[in-house]
Amino acid sequence: MVVAWIVLRRCAPQENPRPQDASSVTKQKRLLPPELPAIRGTPPIILPVASEAARLNDPDLTAADDLAILTTMLGEYRRHLGGNPVGDNDEITAALLGANPKRLACLPTNTGRYLDNAGRLIDRWGAPYFFHALSLSNMEILSAGPDSILYTADDLRGGDAE
């Protein structure tokens, strides 16, 4: 009879003797690492492709040149990290700025004429690029073109899906 009581006692669900208070949850959240590399303290390693990327939206270049530069940057990212950056434009941009596991930057970390206030890569008309991952190693890049509206006749396509 004593053995049955001990077995049942050990198998019974244990209640948490001390529920977590809000301050301990807040402290736990503060311990999580921030996503952006600059916040963590150590600056990213700038890859040589970043000097070419600094020319994005240069008045002496064309929109096709910009797409070629972006394609090169994504190729370098894949070469070093084994696949495309993922997410929306702002997440892909952050990864290209160095918020990635190897802390490698394909874009210069200073903001240039190629980033908007939300941290997104923009085309020469000020519209955010649309990135469409076709596979781990193929990415299509869409510029909304001069009318700044996606999926109209003046859109420009680049990337690995050309």
Side-chain angles (χ1 to χ4, degrees), residues 17-47:
R18 214 170 41 130
Q20 285 187 328
D21 61 324
S23 64
S24 69
V25 172
T26 305
K27 287 177 191 171
Q28 288 174 356
K29 286 182 182 175
R30 277 192 227 139
L31 296 176
L32 296 175
E35 291 181 35
L36 294 176
I39 296 172
R40 285 198 297 230
T42 26
I45 298 165
I46 310 295
L47 295 175

Side-chain angles (χ1 to χ4, degrees), residues 34-40 42-45 77 81 85-86 90-107 109:
E35 291 181 35
L36 294 176
I39 296 172
R40 285 198 297 230
T42 26
I45 298 165
Y77 184 94
L81 287 121
V86 296
D90 59 330
E91 295 165 309
I92 290 171
T93 302
L96 293 171
L97 286 166
N100 58 62
K102 293 188 178 179
R103 307 213 9 85
L104 299 175
C106 297
L107 268 173
T109 54

Side-chain angles (χ1 to χ4, degrees), residues 30-101:
R30 277 192 227 139
L31 296 176
L32 296 175
E35 291 181 35
L36 294 176
I39 296 172
R40 285 198 297 230
T42 26
I45 298 165
I46 310 295
L47 295 175
V49 72
S51 61
E52 185 180 355
R55 298 189 65 208
L56 283 168
N57 298 340
D58 185 310
D60 295 333
L61 299 178
T62 66
D65 295 330
D66 295 337
L67 289 168
I69 290 170
L70 288 170
T71 301
T72 301
M73 284 180 4
L74 289 168
E76 282 298 295
Y77 184 94
R78 281 191 299 270
R79 188 168 76 83
H80 289 284
L81 287 121
N84 284 320
V86 296
D88 291 330
N89 183 315
D90 59 330
E91 295 165 309
I92 290 171
T93 302
L96 293 171
L97 286 166
N100 58 62

